[in-house]
Amino acid sequence: MTQALEASPTSMTNRQILQAMSGLMAGMFVAILASTVVANALPRIIADLQASQSSYTWVITAELLAMTATVPLWGKLSDLFNQKLLLQLSLSLFVVGSLLAGFSQDVGLLIFSRVVQGIGAGGLTALAQIVMAAIIPPRRLGKYAGIFGAVFAVGTVAGPLIGGVLVDTSWLGWRWCFFIGVPFALLAIALLQRTLKLPTVRREAKIDFLGAFLIVAGVCALLIWVSLAGSEFDWMSWQTAALTGGGVLLLIAAVVVETRVPEPIIPLGIFRNRTVTLTTVASLLVGVAMFGGTVFLSQYFQISLGKSPTVAGLMSLPMILGLLVSSTVAGQIITATGRWKVYLVAGSVIMTAGLGLLSTIEADTPFGLLSLYMAVMGVGVGMLMQNLVLAAQNDVPATELGAATSVLSFFRSMGGTIGTSVLGAILANRVATEMTKGLTEAGIPAGASESGGEGVPDMTTLPEPMREIVEHAYGVATADLFLVATPVAALAVIAVLFIKEKPLKDTSGMERLTAESAESAESAESAGTTASPAGVG
């Protein structure tokens, strides 16, 4: 297999890196905005399109499924084709999906458009970190993580606020929740074209289409199961058996295919690398613990604490600020010292402690104390998440940067999906139990609750005694979620402890790729020279 680069890359200056990152940051902001801006708009969207509660679930799930399932495929494509073009393609898909969503007249087209958006977001999620590794040496990569942390924080906080304003503005409406990302995506495409200079990889590309289909189908089957089990059907049902059995069989078939093709979508050989395996396990556990626990905080703010959606969005600021500050500071220190494992260990321990503290919250927990708990967890997550990727990228050949990075993103997203579904089921069951207990103690008939624990009650319509029962139920149930997430996070501490610290490389992915290509060419030439005398008549 031959491989050549159009131009030999040279080390980039800080100014060139920042210019190149401008397009990446715009793209990441688009991906984050897509998932957060519709949060407060969905009830109005579903009502306007006269859709069902099941459709509500699918509008959320469709993008997540498409994003998670396609991340490995984008990662593999980045090892075969020009990464800048792939980034621009993923942004273009996002634009198409956003326009389709904005102009949707029925929920079927809206769900389809969310799938297209999810495929584009999957590309942005995988490729942004891959491109960063390509242009920035691992030793210098830490200092730039804080910039992406800022983009993440702004997108996360601003998204729900922007969505609420758009929905409540009569001359705009919910359709602008989808349109608003289009100019940012077009800006990102233009910035990438102007500022990002990556060599074109010329090599014999063999895409494993069968493996890609089996991986996507198997993952989708399992994600559909964890997303809908407990709400659309029972955990123990024929649907569960069909989806889990089918998903496992498809993934087993995918493993068989991946071991036999020359260019697998997920090179199974990378799991022989201890660092990649342990960072993958840690990423999965972080996804379960963090995403699974924090996704329900907004509901806790609104129901247990009685806050509006806009205020609920602002109340998550301590966690976001903790993440931003710790990510930035840790990145600067890692760049200055070259030591990184201590921040992985400290981050995982602090994240576990934060989750443990959040497991003590109640309906009347003071916001100051709650802010402290959220900030502790944010600090831990900020020290851990990006540096897991750094550790893996530092320890693989340049030709496997895309695969290793996308595998970590894939398992983190899958962990988040699993955590959200499982912990959501725990929340629903605990809310139902606590409400029944509270109603019985108050002498109120169990049928008096409209939700019965099955839906989210409208707190503005509930009488005072009922409101107190519901607030208490959601406070207790939310604390239980963090209690379950805490030991999961503790397992991440164990995984991180076994990672072996290796010196950070001083060369970027592009430079390493050039060196590896030269070594491969020299080896091939040497082998040919050695073999030629034997071939002489």
Side-chain angles (χ1 to χ4, degrees):
M1 179 177 294
T2 60
Q3 175 175 300
L5 300 178
E6 273 190 359
S8 296
T10 57
S11 181
M12 299 174 67
T13 65
N14 285 339
R15 181 174 180 178
Q16 289 172 323
I17 290 173
L18 287 172
Q19 288 176 337
M21 284 180 63
S22 62
L24 293 177
M25 288 188 291
M28 283 300 295
F29 182 73
V30 163
I32 296 166
L33 199 64
S35 59
T36 59
V37 75
V38 298
N40 289 335
L42 268 178
R44 183 76 57 83
I45 295 172
I46 296 301
D48 284 358
L49 297 180
Q50 298 180 341
S52 63
Q53 178 64 35
S54 176
S55 299
Y56 185 106
T57 302
W58 274 108
V59 171
I60 299 172
T61 306
E63 187 197 20
L64 183 61
L65 285 173
M67 182 183 73
T68 303
T70 57
V71 161
L73 183 56
W74 283 109
K76 184 59 186 177
L77 290 174
S78 75
D79 287 333
L80 299 176
F81 301 107
N82 186 278
Q83 294 163 355
K84 180 168 81 171
L85 292 177
L86 290 173
L87 263 172
Q88 292 173 318
L89 174 61
S90 64
L91 283 163
S92 300
L93 284 171
F94 180 85
V95 169
V96 172
S98 298
L99 292 173
L100 286 174
F103 288 115
S104 294
Q105 299 300 319
D106 61 76
V107 76
L109 179 58
L110 178 61
I111 292 172
F112 172 77
S113 69
R114 294 288 284 173
V115 171
V116 178
Q117 276 190 316
I119 295 172
L124 292 169
T125 300
L127 293 165
Q129 296 185 85
I130 293 168
V131 170
M132 280 184 66
I135 64 176
I136 308 172
R139 180 63 189 265
R140 296 166 62 193
L141 189 58
K143 67 185 292 185
Y144 297 99
I147 300 175
F148 272 83
V151 173
F152 175 84
V154 172
T156 302
V157 174
L161 298 177
I162 293 172
V165 170
L166 292 173
V167 170
D168 291 333
T169 304
S170 58
W171 51 277
L172 290 174
W174 63 263
R175 296 183 185 277
W176 278 93
C177 290
F178 301 106
F179 293 148
I180 195 172
V182 172
F184 289 102
L186 295 176
L187 174 64
I189 292 173
L191 286 172
L192 287 169
Q193 184 62 36
R194 181 178 178 182
T195 63
L196 186 59
K197 308 297 182 185
L198 292 175
T200 299
V201 179
R202 300 190 183 281
R203 58 180 290 188
E204 182 185 353
K206 295 181 180 179
I207 301 176
D208 176 21
F209 290 104
L210 177 59
F213 168 77
L214 292 171
I215 290 171
V216 171
V219 169
C220 282
L222 294 178
L223 290 181
I224 289 171
W225 169 59
V226 298
S227 300
L228 302 183
S231 58
E232 299 301 311
F233 51 81
D234 293 334
W235 287 97
M236 301 298 292
S237 63
W238 69 266
Q239 292 96 329
T240 289
L243 288 170
T244 55
V248 169
L249 288 175
L250 286 167
L251 291 178
I252 290 173
V255 170
V256 173
V257 170
E258 295 294 270
T259 58
R260 297 183 178 182
V261 296
E263 291 283 356
I265 297 298
I266 299 179
L268 300 179
I270 67 172
F271 291 110
R272 297 192 189 101
N273 183 310
R274 173 177 168 180
T275 302
V276 172
T277 301
L278 290 172
T279 52
T280 298
V281 171
S283 293
L284 175 69
L285 295 169
V286 168
V288 172
M290 188 194 74
F291 291 108
T294 57
V295 75
F296 299 104
L297 270 176
S298 179
Q299 194 176 67
Y300 165 78
F301 296 149
Q302 294 181 54
I303 296 178
S304 281
L305 304 185
K307 306 300 181 182
S308 68
T310 301
V311 173
L314 292 172
M315 289 179 74
S316 64
L317 273 174
M319 183 171 62
I320 300 300
L321 291 175
L323 187 154
L324 173 60
V325 171
S326 67
S327 175
T328 304
V329 173
Q332 294 285 349
I333 297 175
I334 288 171
T335 297
T337 64
R339 303 296 300 274
W340 50 267
K341 182 175 177 179
V342 63
Y343 301 101
L344 290 184
V345 176
S348 58
V349 170
I350 294 171
M351 181 184 74
T352 304
L355 289 166
L357 290 171
L358 284 167
S359 70
T360 65
I361 62 175
E362 297 176 347
D364 56 355
T365 300
F367 180 64
L369 198 58
L370 187 60
S371 297
L372 175 64
Y373 296 167
M374 289 190 293
V376 170
M377 193 185 74
V379 167
V381 171
M383 296 172 69
L384 182 62
M385 277 182 61
Q386 187 63 32
N387 292 322
L388 285 172
V389 178
L390 172 65
Q393 289 176 338
N394 183 61
D395 202 29
V396 296
T399 52
E400 293 182 355
L401 270 175
T405 305
S406 63
V407 162
L408 261 67
S409 299
F410 168 72
F411 277 97
R412 187 170 61 239
S413 295
M414 177 171 265
T417 307
I418 294 170
T420 301
S421 177
V422 173
L423 295 179
I426 293 173
L427 176 77
N429 289 333
R430 188 60 196 270
V431 165
T433 301
E434 287 296 318
M435 286 184 63
T436 301
K437 177 183 175 183
L439 291 170
T440 302
E441 291 177 352
I444 302 173
S449 171
E450 292 180 8
S451 68
E454 297 296 325
V456 180
D458 183 355
M459 300 298 288
T460 61
T461 64
L462 295 179
E464 184 61 31
M466 183 69 72
R467 187 183 300 116
E468 291 179 0
I469 292 171
V470 172
E471 288 173 352
H472 174 75
Y474 274 88
V476 171
T478 305
D480 275 4
L481 296 188
F482 291 108
L483 187 62
V484 172
T486 300
V488 176
L491 293 175
V493 178
I494 297 173
V496 166
L497 283 171
F498 283 98
I499 296 175
K500 182 179 180 181
E501 184 167 24
K502 297 183 180 180
L504 294 176
K505 294 181 173 68
D506 291 317
T507 53
S508 68
M510 291 192 297
E511 294 167 324
R512 287 153 60 192
L513 185 59
T514 301
E516 290 168 15
S517 299
E519 290 176 7
S520 178
E522 288 175 6
S523 299
E525 184 178 342
S526 176
T529 303
T530 305
S532 59
V536 176

